[in-house]
Amino acid sequence: MYGRVIGITIVGVRGHPVAVEAHIGRGLPSLTLTGLPGAPVQDARDRIRPAVESSGLEWPLRRIVVNLSPGNLRKEGPGLDLPIAMGVLAASAQVPGDRLARFSFFGELSLKGGLVATPGVLSVAIAAARAGLDGVVVPAPNAGEAALVDGVRVVGAPGLAEVAGFLRGTWDPPTPRASGAAEAPKHGVDFAEVRGQAQARRALEVAAAGGHNVLLVGSPGAGKTMLARRLATILPGLSRGEALEVTQLHSVAGMLDAGGLVGSRPFRSPHHSISLSALLGGGTGFVRPGEVSLAHHGVLFLDELTEFRRDAVEALRQPLEDGRVVVTRVAGSVEFPAGFTLIAATNPCPCGYEGDPKRQCRCPPHRVELYRQKLSGPLLDRIDIRLVVPRLSKRELLGETAGEASTPIRARVEEARARQRHRYSALGFPCNAQLPGPVARRLARMSSGGHDVLAGAVDALGLTGRGFDRAIKVARTVADLAGAEEIAAGHMAEALTYRMNLSEGSLARAG
Ligand SMILES: Nc1ncnc2c1ncn2[C@@H]1O[C@H](COP(=O)(O)OP(=O)(O)OP(=O)(O)O)[C@@H](O)[C@H]1O
Ligand SMILES: [Mg+2]
Ligand SMILES: [Zn+2]
């Protein structure tokens, strides 16, 4: 007795069809799984029999072998519970075969036969559509998520009994409604609360508009954390394609409680004690995306940058460079998208007061040096905008003037982004920060004044090749915020103010 159904397993963020073949033969009652099931899939053996028996179905008291193919793909995660159960039901002729062959199945079973919410359903539905299947049977709580995908019928079933009923034509599943975009996020903070800090506010507007990475340096209480958190309130909206990618990642991570399309750019701020696997992705068995991937198309905020483990900071180089991260494990490597904008904040030295006009730094020079080294090098190279956040005077803090609110800033950011999308539509770059240096140089239309300012900086500031490209990209964003086709002298001059050089031992702007 033989049955075959299509399941889907998740590798990284992608769903892969898996053929589940069940054979029932003579021998003592047993269930053997072959075809590279990971340990959690092996666990399924103990769940499936009680789930079948609690659903008014029969568990064949014979020797059952279930094979999962392709055999070279490691199958992880609980989503294969349902297809394995269906294979056994098909092999024991408890469900008819016609619909069985045209649908794929995914979901974790409870001992009572219920289908519980399972991470990764959006990827499963995308894979089913791509494989040309008629539809996909998923846990009812995930149906709205699966229905975000066009061109595939979604059956959301509360349990195994209903799935059997659907195949027999005795249970009519409700038509799931695609869960709409989640409501606009309530950040609870606004730029209006920030007094003064004109340069930092402006720098964050430029960062949001061009997708530039930012480093804020300043003494304790200067307002670095306050400023960085408000970056979330001025980020441009997500396109539908970007929203689907973000939603897929959050779904695989099991973080999609509300079920809907993620409606705004993620803002992730992991604590500096975070483990490497939580930051980059990992886990035993099923590999979950890390913070760098949960921040995909959004922002990763590393507050107190120097407190993070050195290897964690070093490991950010690959995602910052490629927009993706590869998690390597014994069982093979898994890749996740990880294209985020970085914002980092730090004190200038261990005591925090180096360069502060009001308080003396108490650090021995070599300690300051060591501290700076933590920040220097390859990571810093990828940060287009670096600036000192000065402490506000008492008068400024107590003063009446509230700053401009986030909403009008965000409107300017959106306009600047639209200009970039238009300009790079044929090249596929979403924003200035992602242009490779040579492309930025080639495409930058600069007035002769802008050119003169840049040329002057090469001599006066000792601008390196990388610094040169960075200045052009940031100046391009400044010009986009101004609605200018050409980079003028003023745009270039502003860009050059965002290049404080930490490695040179002084907090003065690079000179
Ligand atoms: N520009 C400002 N406008 C209004 N309040 C401010 C401003 N700067 C700082 N504050 C107040 O000071 C508090 C401390 O600021 P914040 O935590 O952002 O400092 P920080 O630079 O991150 O310091 P640390 O280095 O200790 O982390 C804020 O919660 C806020 O109440
Ligand atoms: Mg802080
Ligand atoms: Zn100090």
Side-chain angles (χ1 to χ4, degrees), residues 25 32 35 53 90 190 195 215 286 294 303 314 320 342-343 455:
T32 306
E53 290 177 340
D190 195 286
R195 296 173 183 283
L215 175 66
F286 188 55
L294 296 173
D303 203 1
E314 292 276 320
L320 282 171
L342 175 72
I343 180 164

Side-chain angles (χ1 to χ4, degrees), residues 18 74 87 137 162 179 213 296 314 331 353 387 423 427 430 500:
V18 172
R74 183 168 286 273
V137 180
E162 287 79 7
S179 3
N213 298 324
H296 184 55
E314 292 276 320
Y353 291 99
L387 77 162
R423 185 178 319 117
L427 298 166
M500 164 207 49

Side-chain angles (χ1 to χ4, degrees), residues 365-385:
H366 74 276
R367 294 249 354 246
V368 178
E369 182 82 1
L370 273 175
Y371 188 86
R372 294 287 169 77
Q373 273 170 16
K374 275 188 157 180
L375 299 174
S376 65
L379 183 69
L380 213 54
D381 254 349
R382 312 253 116 73
I383 300 184
D384 291 346
I385 295 180

